[in-house]
Amino acid sequence: MAAEQSDGSGAEFVEALVRLRADAPAGGLADWAGGHGLDVTAMAAGALLTGPADRFTEAFGEPPGDRAEPRSLPVPAALAGTARSVTVLPLPTLGADTPFPDADSPFPD
């Protein structure tokens, strides 16, 4: 089972990618998301939507799921002209073999 990520309040923190429609401004998404307690970060191709899981559930009418795999959420009617899709990202996992810098590393801390 993957470790739950939190924003410090005890609530699960969720990240989702939003594919915007061609030439759709991200401003409408930002206004809508702000009204639902979610944050938006513009990206080269779309936007990153972040916030507590309960806010995602309220905004999209469905929970983000167990986050073991990517999961599509329905695009709300208010975003029909702005967003093509919303995909909740799975929880990141760090492998046991992930290298960490050591004292002999040529890279400074």
Side-chain angles (χ1 to χ4, degrees), residues 26-70:
L29 174 62
D31 291 343
W32 178 87
H36 290 282
L38 300 170
D39 295 314
V40 175
T41 302
M43 299 175 66
L48 180 67
L49 193 61
T50 59
D54 61 340
R55 296 295 183 162
F56 271 83
T57 301
E58 181 268 324
F60 291 96
E62 306 186 0
D66 69 6
R67 304 196 38 231
E69 299 288 329

Side-chain angles (χ1 to χ4, degrees), residues 10-22:
E12 182 183 4
F13 187 78
V14 176
E15 299 170 314
L17 291 177
V18 179
R19 280 183 56 206
L20 299 176
R21 296 196 175 279

